[in-house]
Amino acid sequence: MSKIISLANQKGGVGKTTTSINLAAALAKLGKKVLLVDADPQANTSSGLGVEIRALDNTIYECLINGVDPHAAIVATSMKGLYMIPSHIDLVGAEIEMLNMEQRELLLKNILNQVRDEYDYILIDCSPSLGLITINALTASDTVIIPVQSEFFALEGIAKLLNTIKIIKSKLNPQLKIEGFLLTMFDNRLRLSNQVYEEVKRHFGDLVFDTIIMRNVRLSEAPSHGVSVLEYDYSSKGAKNYMALAKELIARQK
């Protein structure tokens, strides 16, 4: 049985898309079959893996709004074992179109249930908002990973996300759990980064991943080449961090 994990934080610029791409790639590198769902209208996850969005007939938008079979939207990436359902700018208007649909919060769950048994992991990259599509993602998920940037306002807005998760657990998805908080863009030369880590650890204890994602120039360069950091520079610190995170995630399942 596969595991569905959302990566969510309504605060932008926290490394959510970077984590979605590279955690998915690292899991695939470890022999898992992975489906990455780009549920962000910016479609950075799609372009970051070299998907030519304008050439596609079907994306997550067509699946949600037109009822297209998800198999028709899945594309293979350059990495063995890693597949994705791309996003499209049209997704910006999807929330308005979904408002009058029956069981609108369950649309993504119903889509992913059609392909769930074909993958070990399904990762959903959520948009930096707590709108209807993010609610769909959390309703469809078993767990959620919350990336937290190592900066002064790191915990700002997390209370709102945790409240949303609480509401979804009570009304839509009682099984939803927090997989963990992931520290990103960490610079151990800065006292602030270490202070943020201590604060997050104090608040959330064992829910904080042991793995920390360090600041790494290769991580920011890889998307412009349309590949994960593991394909761009496997020896880089960024690649090693995400391999460690994937191993930690797999170990948690045992």
Side-chain angles (χ1 to χ4, degrees):
M1 190 66 170
S2 70
K3 185 165 194 178
I4 302 179
I5 305 172
S6 278
L7 289 99
N9 190 331
Q10 80 269 24
K11 193 172 186 294
V14 298
K16 183 175 52 57
T17 295
T18 299
T19 295
S20 299
I21 291 172
N22 293 301
L23 175 56
L27 288 166
K29 189 80 173 174
L30 291 169
K32 304 297 181 183
K33 190 177 180 186
V34 183
L35 178 65
L36 179 55
V37 180
D38 189 353
D40 185 346
Q42 296 176 77
N44 290 335
T45 299
S46 305
S47 58
L49 280 173
V51 176
E52 184 52 62
I53 299 159
R54 284 170 295 189
L56 299 174
D57 292 325
N58 296 306
T59 66
I60 191 64
Y61 172 84
E62 282 75 22
C63 296
L64 286 167
I65 303 304
N66 301 331
V68 167
D69 187 314
H71 292 94
I74 293 171
V75 297
T77 71
S78 57
M79 176 162 259
K80 183 185 176 188
L82 176 55
Y83 301 83
M84 81 174 305
I85 299 180
S87 182
H88 193 278
I89 190 65
D90 287 351
L91 204 59
V92 169
E95 296 199 352
I96 296 169
E97 296 179 75
M98 290 161 68
L99 283 176
N100 295 321
M101 292 185 176
E102 286 185 28
Q103 296 188 306
R104 61 191 180 196
E105 297 90 356
L106 301 176
L107 293 171
L108 186 56
K109 180 174 184 172
N110 293 335
I111 288 164
L112 296 183
N113 279 344
Q114 297 176 58
V115 298
R116 179 169 191 155
D117 292 341
E118 299 165 34
Y119 297 90
D120 298 307
Y121 287 91
I122 298 176
L123 303 186
I124 309 171
D125 182 24
C126 300
S127 66
S129 73
L130 294 178
L132 187 52
I133 291 174
T134 297
I135 289 169
N136 260 266
L138 293 172
T139 302
S141 296
D142 300 305
T143 63
V144 54
I145 291 175
I146 303 170
V148 181
Q149 187 180 354
S150 306
E151 57 150 44
F152 185 68
F153 294 112
L155 296 179
E156 192 179 73
I158 284 184
K160 195 173 180 184
L161 174 60
L162 294 179
N163 190 51
T164 300
I165 291 169
K166 187 177 175 183
I167 292 167
I168 287 169
K169 278 189 71 161
S170 67
K171 297 185 182 303
L172 295 165
N173 183 5
Q175 280 74 48
L176 182 64
K177 292 186 175 71
I178 294 173
E179 187 72 50
F181 292 83
L182 175 69
L183 267 291
T184 62
M185 304 181 201
F186 191 88
D187 188 339
N188 56 9
R189 298 169 299 177
L190 300 178
R191 183 190 296 174
L192 177 61
S193 285
N194 291 292
Q195 287 173 339
V196 169
Y197 176 76
E198 287 165 15
E199 188 180 3
V200 174
K201 194 76 177 165
R202 189 171 69 249
H203 271 82
F204 303 113
D206 291 342
L207 282 175
V208 182
F209 281 101
D210 293 332
T211 304
I212 293 172
I213 309 301
M214 309 295 284
R215 277 198 181 276
N216 179 239
V217 69
R218 291 293 196 242
L219 279 174
S220 52
E221 289 173 351
S224 64
H225 296 269
V227 294
S228 70
V229 73
L230 281 83
E231 294 165 278
Y232 182 62
D233 185 353
Y234 190 70
S235 64
S236 68
K237 189 176 286 184
K240 289 174 181 174
N241 286 168
Y242 279 108
M243 284 300 290
L245 177 62
K247 289 173 183 174
E248 185 177 352
L249 183 65
I250 291 168
R252 286 182 174 205
Q253 315 307 122
K254 294 175 181 175

